Amino acid sequence: DTEVTQTPKHLVMGMTNKKSLKCEQHMGHRAMYWYKQKAKKPPELMFVYSYEKLSINESVPSRFSPECPNSSLLNLHLHALQPEDSALYLCASSQGPRTGSLEAFFGQGTRLTVV
Amino acid sequence: AQKVTQAQTEISVVEKEDVTLDCVYETRDTTYYLFWYKQPPSGELVFLIRRNSFDEQNEISGRYSWNFQKSTSSFNFTITASQVVDSAVYFCALSHNYGQNFVFGPGTRLSVLP
């Protein structure tokens, strides 16, 4: 099973709304990631959790707040977003550092539209 | 600083043609990892292959083959006898730090026409 599940698949939210994106994997991976992908662009790293601790934050605005409740779950809490935050948000997981297996497996993404 | 360049923005081929996607990378690390991912219209990034910097063996897997040349900092990907289902955006990626920080190239959009 190499599946990373993201919910919801599509989300439309207003600039004053609060919403959350969810990501789940049951591969025993200890590193989980959030990426943002704008149309016709490559994915851009936002956050990395390693062993449930935030290890990389790529200077993401505070209106994006990640959370890793346990080793299988990763959330991205959204608040007061701007229309330019509309994008495909991808979650990924990998076995983690020092395991020798480094490839990341991605979910299908959440297509977010901010109105 | 790390950088990945994919000079081909879009490629169109007719089914059964061979096609090579180019990838050139820059890094100052002595240990690094290279990847190819495929992104079909559904949006999910599909892992295809990983190469370690200390392993320059080329690889063939079915219709796919990869040519890693450390001397020219290139990691090219060839699809033999292309099929319509190969139509997707292909990303080359580079990582250090035990694979935690992927840097993606801009992607090459491949269209295989019937």
Side-chain angles (χ1 to χ4, degrees):
Chain A
D1 180 10
T2 57
E3 194 171 280
V4 176
T5 304
Q6 288 187 244
T7 55
K9 292 205 170 8
H10 300 273
L11 178 63
V12 179
M13 62 184 289
M15 288 189 283
T16 58
N17 291 159
K18 284 185 182 180
K19 296 285 185 184
S20 296
L21 308 185
K22 296 186 185 302
C23 175
E24 190 168 2
Q25 58 88 11
H26 295 290
M27 295 178 276
H29 289 176
R30 302 311 299 272
M32 295 186 77
Y33 313 76
W34 281 115
Y35 282 83
K36 175 182 177 179
Q37 187 178 22
K38 301 282 277 184
K40 297 187 185 294
K41 296 289 186 183
E44 294 179 354
L45 183 66
M46 300 174 72
F47 303 104
V48 180
Y49 273 83
S50 180
Y51 295 91
E52 293 100 71
K53 292 193 187 315
L54 184 64
S55 61
I56 296 178
N57 176 342
E58 292 287 357
S59 303
V60 178
S62 59
R63 56 186 184 268
F64 295 91
S65 174
E67 179 198 18
C68 189
N70 60 55
S71 59
S72 299
L73 295 174
L74 185 66
N75 299 322
L76 186 63
H77 302 299
L78 314 173
H79 173 54
L81 294 193
Q82 303 295 311
E84 58 265 29
D85 296 321
S86 299
L88 180 67
Y89 288 84
L90 291 161
C91 175
S93 70
S94 66
Q95 286 197 11
R98 297 179 292 280
T99 63
S101 181
L102 305 169
E103 49 271 21
F105 295 90
F106 285 79
Q108 285 199 318
T110 294
R111 199 164 293 279
L112 174 67
T113 303
V114 182
V115 297
Chain B
Q2 298 188 111
K3 185 178 177 182
V4 177
T5 302
Q6 294 177 255
Q8 305 144 310
T9 306
E10 295 193 31
I11 300 176
S12 286
V13 299
V14 177
E15 208 170 14
K16 297 185 184 169
E17 285 185 10
D18 298 347
V19 57
T20 295
L21 309 182
D22 298 332
C23 173
V24 173
Y25 62 91
E26 295 175 30
T27 181
R28 283 182 286 201
D29 294 313
T30 53
T31 299
Y32 52 89
Y33 310 90
L34 295 163
F35 306 80
W36 275 97
Y37 282 86
K38 172 183 179 181
Q39 189 173 39
S42 60
E44 179 181 358
L45 278 156
V46 178
F47 166 73
L48 296 177
I49 193 171
R50 175 192 62 166
R51 262 291 168 265
N52 306 330
S53 55
F54 43 86
D55 178 7
E56 285 194 71
Q57 276 192 351
N58 293 321
E59 182 164 333
I60 297 175
S61 176
R63 296 186 296 110
Y64 296 167
S65 61
W66 291 270
N67 185 355
F68 177 28
Q69 298 266 349
K70 210 167 176 179
S71 60
T72 56
S73 298
S74 66
F75 184 42
N76 296 337
F77 172 33
T78 297
I79 302 174
T80 303
S82 59
Q83 300 176 0
V84 173
V85 294
D86 296 326
S87 298
V89 180
Y90 289 84
F91 291 100
C92 180
L94 170 67
S95 175
H96 66 115
N97 191 23
Y98 297 102
Q100 285 207 290
N101 192 348
F102 289 79
V103 173
F104 285 88
T108 296
R109 181 175 299 277
L110 174 65
S111 298
V112 181
L113 308 174

